[in-house]
Amino acid sequence: QVQLVESGGGLVQPGGSLRLSCVVSGFTLDDYSIGWFRQVPGEEREGVFCLSRSDGSTYYAVSVEGRFTISRDNVKNTVYLQMNSLKVEDTAVYYCAADKFLVPGDHEYDYSGQGTRVTVSP
């Protein structure tokens, strides 16, 4: 059974940092691209804003480039999202997604998790 489980969210002040984790099971992480998307409650889901491709390359949307870093540990079946210099506008529920053909901005993917809430507030 495929599962993606996010963790690491919480409350942080502007300028602070959080590291999110996405533990995957039920498939071989090496074969998949993994991305993160987010959704503010009551608003439309944002497309994939960063991703780690199976070939090792990465992508970041302009809104997070230089502040967020995605990495993966294929042995631990875990993908990480290090978030630094957090802003109030980063407040959202964060989800990881897996798809063999994930592309920036994607709203559809083979698998996704239940999300972890990130709140950035003074």
Side-chain angles (χ1 to χ4, degrees):
Q1 182 180 357
V2 172
Q3 275 194 313
L4 287 79
V5 180
E6 303 93 337
S7 63
L11 173 64
V12 64
Q13 292 185 339
S17 298
L18 284 173
R19 188 176 81 156
L20 307 184
S21 299
C22 172
V23 179
V24 308
S25 59
F27 63 91
T28 303
L29 184 57
D30 309 46
D31 296 337
Y32 280 76
S33 294
I34 303 293
W36 290 87
F37 65 95
R38 59 192 179 183
Q39 185 170 21
V40 176
E43 297 186 7
E44 287 192 7
R45 182 178 49 177
E46 185 176 331
V48 168
F49 64 84
C50 72
L51 67 93
S52 168
R53 300 183 183 92
S54 54
D55 66 1
S57 62
T58 57
Y59 159 82
Y60 299 93
V62 171
S63 59
V64 304
E65 191 168 21
R67 300 189 298 123
F68 290 11
T69 303
I70 188 171
S71 61
R72 62 163 71 196
D73 185 330
N74 288 339
V75 174
K76 295 183 177 180
N77 288 330
T78 303
V79 177
Y80 304 98
L81 183 65
Q82 178 67 44
M83 306 189 297
N84 298 328
S85 302
L86 282 161
K87 304 176 181 180
V88 172
E89 51 263 43
D90 293 318
T91 296
V93 179
Y94 285 68
Y95 302 83
C96 59
D99 194 296
K100 289 189 176 183
F101 306 107
L102 200 62
V103 297
D106 253 347
H107 287 80
E108 295 185 2
Y109 8 79
D110 289 343
Y111 311 109
S112 61
Q114 294 301 306
T116 185
R117 183 179 294 269
V118 172
T119 302
V120 185
S121 179

